[in-house]
Amino acid sequence: MAIIKITSFSEPGVEVFSTLTEAQLRMTLEPEKGIFIAESPKVIRVALDAGYEPTALLCEEKHIAGDARDIVERCPDIPVYTGNRDLLTQLTGYTLTRGVLCAMRRPRPKCVESICKGARRLVVIEGVTDTTNIGAIFRSAAALGMDGVLLTPDSCDPLNRRSVRVSMGSVFLVPWTWMSNDIRELAAYGFRTAAMALTDDSISLDDEQLKHEERLAIVMGTEGDGLPKKTIGNCDYVVRIPMAHGVDSLNVAAAAAVAFWELKKK
């Protein structure tokens, strides 16, 4: 392996960890596949176990033979850039979680049909742009038995560095892809759709007819505005979570976890 001690922020190859924006990582370095950043040893291990291809490591000196030793050994053919904690913080602009970053190639996007095939419970994320919420939804989806995740183009990229970290690597465990904003597309794959929204004609989350649906897609909207009226109108069900103490709604990530637990296929 090539261990390269950083002596200058202009060191060739480190720009992937420093100056490039998320959009540039997606589209500039590898127009066909792109690059994303995985942060922390645990998350990087999950990605490697899932078959993601590493291209470079950025690692605090003390972790090369410490917390990241097994990762370095698993990646013998890529450069390992290193330096002390303060230097790497200045380079990246943030403190590294557990002192390790890994640049990885983006996989080829899946098609909607492949996500739907064989699935019984899906999550549709429409217009959610907060990276923390995206990561939390993916973590709940993986933990609570969702078979796949579909995102509309106006949602945040699940491979955003913060989304990946918040998900604790769950974005590598649940199949996902992008779909159009037309929820009716899922009917062709045998799915009924349940919009999580507050409307006068909504049914309770614990309604028995929801649990008996063989194939169900749970549709989650953004904070504040929620789902667009058009999406709600095109769904088969509009579903609310019963509330107490005058609270009208939950954060989208919390609401997703509750819905996944209640509606997962038993």
Side-chain angles (χ1 to χ4, degrees), residues 134-264:
I134 291 290
I137 292 171
F138 265 86
R139 189 172 183 180
S140 294
L144 300 175
M146 297 296 104
D147 298 313
V149 180
L150 299 171
L151 302 100
T152 59
D154 52 352
S155 294
C156 174
D157 175 22
L159 294 182
N160 172 284
R161 179 184 61 85
R162 183 167 176 79
S163 294
V164 171
R165 181 164 66 83
V166 171
S167 81
M168 294 301 292
S170 295
V171 295
F172 309 128
L173 303 177
V174 183
W176 64 271
T177 196
W178 302 99
M179 67 172 290
S180 71
N181 285 85
D182 190 352
I183 196 67
R184 294 172 298 181
E185 177 182 354
L186 298 183
Y189 303 107
F191 278 88
R192 302 270 280 175
T193 49
M196 301 300 298
L198 298 174
T199 65
D200 293 336
D201 59 348
S202 61
I203 63 175
S204 177
L205 181 65
D206 58 3
D207 193 297
E208 285 299 318
Q209 61 183 321
L210 292 170
K211 301 176 184 179
H212 291 250
E213 288 289 353
E214 186 62 26
R215 310 186 88 185
L216 186 68
I218 303 165
V219 188
M220 308 299 304
T222 187
E223 295 281 347
D225 294 336
L227 289 167
K229 290 182 179 180
K230 181 178 180 180
T231 297
I232 295 172
N234 285 334
C235 283
D236 299 296
Y237 299 102
V238 184
V239 182
R240 70 181 183 279
I241 298 174
M243 298 284 169
H245 298 292
V247 178
D248 61 354
S249 64
L250 295 172
N251 164 276
V252 65
V258 173
F260 299 165
W261 169 256
E262 185 66 29
L263 299 178
K264 67 179 181 178

Side-chain angles (χ1 to χ4, degrees), residues 48-89:
L48 292 173
D49 290 343
Y52 284 76
E53 180 186 352
T55 64
L57 280 167
L58 183 69
C59 185
E60 283 184 45
E61 290 175 298
K62 66 179 182 179
H63 290 309
I64 291 178
D67 288 352
R69 179 177 178 177
D70 62 309
I71 295 171
V72 173
E73 291 175 348
R74 290 178 67 175
C75 305
D77 300 322
I78 66 173
V80 180
Y81 300 99
T82 189
N84 61 45
R85 187 177 184 84
D86 289 341
L87 177 69
L88 299 191
T89 298

